[in-house]
Amino acid sequence: MTSHGDERTALDGDRQPMLRRLVPVVALLFLAPWAAECSWGGFAGTDMLGVVVVLAPMYGGAAVLIREAARRTGGGWPMIVLLAAGFGVLQAGLVDQSLFNPDYLADTEFAELSAADRTRVPVLGISAQEAISFLGNHVALTICAPIAIVESYLSPARRLRPWLGVPGLVVVAVLYLLGSLLVFADDSGRKGFLASPGQLVGAASVVLALVVLAALPRWRRRPPPAPAGAPRPARPGLLVLLGYLVVSMLSGWIGVAVSVIVVAVLVGLLVRWAGHAGWGQRQVLASAAGALVGAAVLAYLVPPYSPTSPTQALVSDVIVSLLVIAMLAGAHARLRRHNGPAPAARAG
């Protein structure tokens, strides 16, 4: 049931100037590619702006469309995560085809460091280790963390509302398609590689299955919250941080097995906690912060794609750290401003 105050707030939101209503859209368009490719140290600081601008239509467009689909239908975070997984398969399997291309990292600083060949599955033509890395990062960094952070800057009335009308959705969809076509047409990325028809059909089938699963009506039904209190935000945040670092640093088949277990436990705990009374945007932001902070830590441990001097690499990693700290501190401050001090929560 909606109160008169809520109705008035919603109407006020609809009357906001168009430029203000588009601010979160633009923020998500540019945050998604930065989180996907720069937050873990993939590019030097001098290259970040160019990377973000070029990849914003594809990565940012996907994040905006996924967020709008979930908020328009009421599918919530289950729908966002499932669509993010579908985007990960679409991106890595059909667009840049990194999922199937054994030479995708051959001309980068990761060529000598990668142990992907040790986990290659000949029948599928994929590396299990790279599949976990590519798809996991797309879910956590490209889609989920940027959405959680941008929504945390908004008032509760705007946080879960659609940002775009039909014309805006069409524009973003066209941007996404053009951005994806640009990446596919860039032969320097694929290095002339084209996946086999069987691989393309298999990837497309997985994408379709995830989209159908995301569209199930069950995600729009919200059961009453469990009586147990949700954990304080620090707990899911630290859990995601540790899980991200463990999965990122392991290699080989043992690493694949441990990563699957870690991800399954992590998802299970987050789903369980999200059904408890008191779970809210603070816990959502903390979970996103765990992934983004994990990526920022990883930046100090891995090289960028292209060779850089140790000094330039260190400066770039510090820039990433400062941006992450500023972004998360701002989001936390906005939440406190809109929602007041954090309520006490049992460990649960």
Side-chain angles (χ1 to χ4, degrees):
M1 198 168 182
T2 305
S3 69
H4 292 299
D6 291 337
E7 290 175 356
R8 189 161 47 250
T9 302
L11 288 173
D12 289 343
D14 289 337
R15 292 171 184 156
Q16 290 174 345
M18 179 178 294
L19 287 179
R20 188 180 176 206
R21 287 190 283 117
L22 290 180
V23 166
V25 177
V26 175
L28 186 53
L29 277 172
F30 289 110
L31 179 55
W34 185 86
E37 297 291 351
C38 303
S39 66
W40 54 271
F43 289 90
T46 53
D47 298 328
M48 287 184 189
L49 180 59
V51 169
V52 167
V53 171
V54 171
L55 296 180
M58 181 178 65
Y59 285 143
V64 170
L65 292 173
I66 287 172
R67 189 262 174 201
E68 289 296 290
R71 296 314 182 202
R72 282 176 169 275
T73 62
W77 279 102
M79 187 176 193
I80 290 175
V81 172
L82 288 168
L83 290 178
F87 165 75
V89 177
L90 177 65
Q91 174 63 31
L94 300 177
V95 180
D96 63 32
Q97 303 188 6
S98 56
L99 192 62
F100 304 116
N101 188 350
D103 297 321
Y104 186 73
L105 299 174
D107 60 349
T108 71
E109 293 294 281
F110 292 92
E112 300 298 327
L113 299 177
S114 177
D117 286 340
R118 294 186 309 188
T119 62
R120 195 158 294 282
V121 183
V123 176
L124 301 177
I126 66 172
S127 162
Q129 179 180 322
E130 286 187 343
I132 292 173
S133 175
F134 294 164
L135 302 184
N137 276 321
H138 278 313
V139 172
L141 297 180
T142 307
I143 306 297
C144 292
I147 291 174
I149 290 169
V150 174
E151 288 188 342
S152 295
Y153 276 85
L154 303 178
S155 66
R158 297 181 65 201
R159 189 174 299 147
L160 304 183
R161 290 167 55 84
W163 295 338
L164 295 171
V166 173
L169 290 173
V170 171
V171 170
V172 174
V174 171
L175 281 175
Y176 169 70
L177 292 174
L178 292 176
S180 299
L181 181 61
L182 176 66
V183 170
F184 176 80
D186 181 13
D187 195 60
S188 63
R190 291 187 297 106
K191 303 173 183 66
F193 175 86
L194 282 175
S196 69
Q199 289 173 326
L200 296 176
V201 170
S205 300
V206 173
V207 173
L208 180 60
L210 287 168
V211 171
V212 171
L213 184 59
L216 291 178
R218 64 173 299 176
W219 312 125
R220 297 191 288 276
R221 294 194 292 266
R222 297 288 186 270
R232 294 182 183 278
R235 180 179 288 191
L238 288 174
L239 187 68
V240 173
L241 171 61
L242 293 175
Y244 184 90
L245 291 176
V246 168
V247 171
S248 299
M249 294 179 181
L250 294 176
S251 63
W253 280 112
I254 293 179
V256 169
V258 173
S259 295
V260 170
I261 294 172
V262 168
V263 171
V265 171
L266 179 60
V267 171
L269 284 174
L270 291 177
V271 169
R272 177 171 173 265
W273 286 338
H276 288 179
W279 181 274
Q281 191 63 24
R282 287 186 176 88
Q283 286 82 357
V284 172
L285 176 62
S287 302
L292 205 56
V293 171
V297 171
L298 192 67
Y300 291 93
L301 305 177
V302 300
Y305 285 119
S306 301
T308 57
S309 68
T311 300
Q312 186 179 16
L314 179 59
V315 170
S316 299
D317 297 339
V318 171
I319 290 173
V320 167
S321 297
L322 293 176
L323 288 173
V324 168
I325 292 171
M327 194 184 311
L328 295 177
H332 178 70
R334 292 284 290 184
L335 278 181
R336 286 182 63 85
R337 174 186 171 188
H338 288 303
N339 300 341
R346 290 189 286 123

